[in-house]
Amino acid sequence: DVKVTQSSRYLVKRTGEKVFLECVQDMDHENMFWYRQDPGLGLRLIYFSYDVKMKEKGDIPEGYSVSREKKERFSLILESASTNQTSMYLCASSPTDRENKFFGSGTQLSVL
Amino acid sequence: QQPVQSPQAVILREGEDAVINCSSSKALYSVHWYRQKHGEAPVFLMILLKGGEQKGHEKISASFNEKKQQSSLYLTASQLSYSGTYFCGTATYGGATNKLIFGTGTLLAVQP
């Protein structure tokens, strides 16, 4: 089974802190994604990557950056966390852009 | 543009049927369906590509009407295990197929 692992299930940070969310997949997938999930808004794409060191902006990239130095790892970075970034963050991977995505269990981030 | 899902929520008794709709204002290349149980990662159900095909397995199936730019998910003889939030994700012509836009979800509750 494909496994997508997110490093933390719950995270509490202070406003202005730099936050790293880590995601690792074990199936050699080319594509990796970061979404945030908010009640009533569904899943919104922040960034995605289709290869090592390659990235593209999703629909809501403001306030976020990403890093993909190795194929299996995709990191989401909040340079200066703000309270409106309190959310559930979901990482996903897929073998190609036309195949299904495998999601991690999510990181619930609270910014105080 | 986020696809519109309807209904927003539905409550069923075991054995009853349900239909969840997903409509887009843009021409669709593909539609993906996922189910997310409370506190868990979204899980892939199926992908439908242009051509008006209908896919499914067991008692969950879906159709894709390219002309109407919509997809419907059919759950027949529902079971308790069908409870969760169902999301459609759409990929449009001219857009990156990686950039699925998800709807806001339909909450399905199946009661004994």
Side-chain angles (χ1 to χ4, degrees):
Chain A
D1 279 355
V2 174
K3 198 165 184 184
V4 179
T5 304
Q6 294 184 231
S7 53
S8 304
R9 185 73 179 96
Y10 299 96
L11 212 52
V12 180
K13 296 292 181 180
R14 296 272 181 205
T15 303
E17 278 193 77
K18 190 168 186 176
V19 181
F20 293 87
L21 302 183
E22 306 287 345
C23 175
V24 177
Q25 50 97 359
D26 65 357
M27 282 300 290
D28 202 38
H29 285 171
E30 301 292 332
N31 302 278
M32 296 189 74
F33 310 83
W34 276 106
Y35 292 89
R36 65 176 280 177
Q37 183 173 24
D38 300 287
L41 297 178
L43 297 156
R44 293 180 292 166
L45 181 63
I46 304 171
Y47 268 97
F48 66 97
S49 168
Y50 50 90
D51 201 352
V52 175
K53 296 190 187 294
M54 306 302 287
K55 61 185 179 185
E56 281 203 30
K57 293 180 180 179
D59 299 310
I60 51 165
E62 297 78 19
Y64 303 95
S65 62
V66 290
S67 171
R68 194 166 179 201
E69 297 296 319
K70 293 185 177 181
K71 192 174 187 179
E72 67 271 18
R73 187 179 297 269
F74 192 35
S75 302
L76 180 70
I77 303 155
L78 288 68
E79 295 290 342
S80 177
S82 64
T83 54
N84 63 12
Q85 291 178 311
T86 291
S87 185
M88 170 66 79
Y89 290 87
L90 289 164
C91 175
S93 72
S94 68
T96 69
D97 60 359
R98 286 172 173 78
E99 293 179 75
N100 54 295
K101 294 173 174 42
F102 296 87
F103 283 86
S105 296
T107 296
Q108 178 62 54
L109 173 68
S110 296
V111 183
L112 306 178
Chain B
Q1 192 90 21
Q2 204 169 18
V4 176
Q5 285 187 237
S6 62
Q8 289 187 333
V10 58
I11 300 174
L12 299 174
R13 296 280 183 195
E14 268 188 297
E16 292 182 336
D17 301 340
V19 180
I20 299 171
N21 299 303
C22 175
S23 298
S24 174
S25 59
K26 295 191 172 184
L28 297 178
Y29 175 81
S30 67
V31 180
H32 300 220
W33 285 98
Y34 290 80
R35 176 174 62 205
Q36 184 180 30
K37 293 182 180 287
H38 183 68
E40 298 181 10
V43 173
F44 168 76
L45 293 176
M46 62 191 77
I47 292 176
L48 298 105
L49 301 176
K50 64 182 178 68
E53 64 180 278
Q54 183 156 357
K55 296 184 71 173
H57 51 91
E58 295 185 355
K59 296 174 183 174
I60 300 177
S61 62
S63 62
F64 178 23
N65 189 320
E66 192 184 347
K67 283 186 178 178
K68 292 186 178 180
Q69 296 165 187
Q70 68 181 35
S71 176
S72 295
L73 186 72
Y74 306 95
L75 301 102
T76 57
S78 59
Q79 305 167 15
L80 294 175
S81 62
Y82 288 2
S83 293
T85 301
Y86 290 77
F87 292 99
C88 68
T90 57
T92 58
Y93 281 99
T97 51
N98 262 323
K99 288 187 70 174
L100 279 187
I101 309 295
F102 283 94
T104 55
T106 295
L107 178 63
L108 179 76
V110 181
Q111 298 179 340

